[in-house]
Amino acid sequence: VQLQASGGGLVQAGGSLTISCAASGRTFSSSNMGWFRQAPGKEREFVAAISMRGFSTYYTDSVKGRFTISRDNSRNTVFLQMNSLKPEDTAVYYCAAGKRLGGRYGADYDYWGQGTLVTVSS
């Protein structure tokens, strides 16, 4: 699976942004998908995950109620809708594909996209 993240940009605090991750290959619909982020000077952290068919979603506490992960298997794409953005959400966001349902660690994923930068200004 090859992953290509896109949609990042500059947004004001309180605003919204949706980033997406397009996958190539036949295995997308059989992959659990996740979003991670890495802020400058910090370690990569789990953001959200979604099961193969989209029935189950998982979030880190800091984004619950603000972010929504979804997927469209007909388009081989996973989305992360981000609302009420805060400056602390500024990071490079990475999508990942793996076999572990609801994986919250990098080791749970086998394939990674290149990342898309989200900058939230105060």
Side-chain angles (χ1 to χ4, degrees):
V1 178
Q2 290 185 324
L3 304 172
Q4 179 76 36
S6 62
L10 175 64
V11 62
Q12 288 188 333
S16 298
L17 191 68
T18 297
I19 56 177
S20 61
C21 175
S24 62
R26 297 182 180 181
T27 59
F28 177 79
S29 59
S30 62
S31 296
N32 296 296
M33 299 298 296
W35 284 100
F36 287 74
R37 66 187 180 186
Q38 187 167 19
K42 295 187 177 181
E43 294 187 352
R44 182 178 60 191
E45 65 172 349
F46 168 78
V47 176
I50 189 167
S51 60
M52 295 178 189
R53 297 176 67 186
F55 293 150
S56 298
T57 57
Y58 309 84
Y59 299 93
T60 192
D61 287 345
S62 62
V63 308
K64 282 181 181 177
R66 300 190 299 122
F67 290 12
T68 302
I69 187 171
S70 62
R71 66 190 295 164
D72 184 344
N73 285 351
S74 69
R75 296 166 57 190
N76 280 11
T77 303
V78 62
F79 304 94
L80 186 68
Q81 180 180 349
M82 304 180 288
N83 298 326
S84 302
L85 282 161
K86 304 175 181 180
E88 52 263 42
D89 295 317
T90 295
V92 177
Y93 284 72
Y94 298 90
C95 58
K99 293 300 183 183
R100 186 178 183 91
L101 177 63
R104 294 173 178 264
Y105 301 98
D108 295 330
Y109 297 87
D110 302 307
Y111 304 96
W112 293 82
Q114 88 290 358
T116 187
L117 176 62
V118 174
T119 303
V120 184
S121 63
S122 58

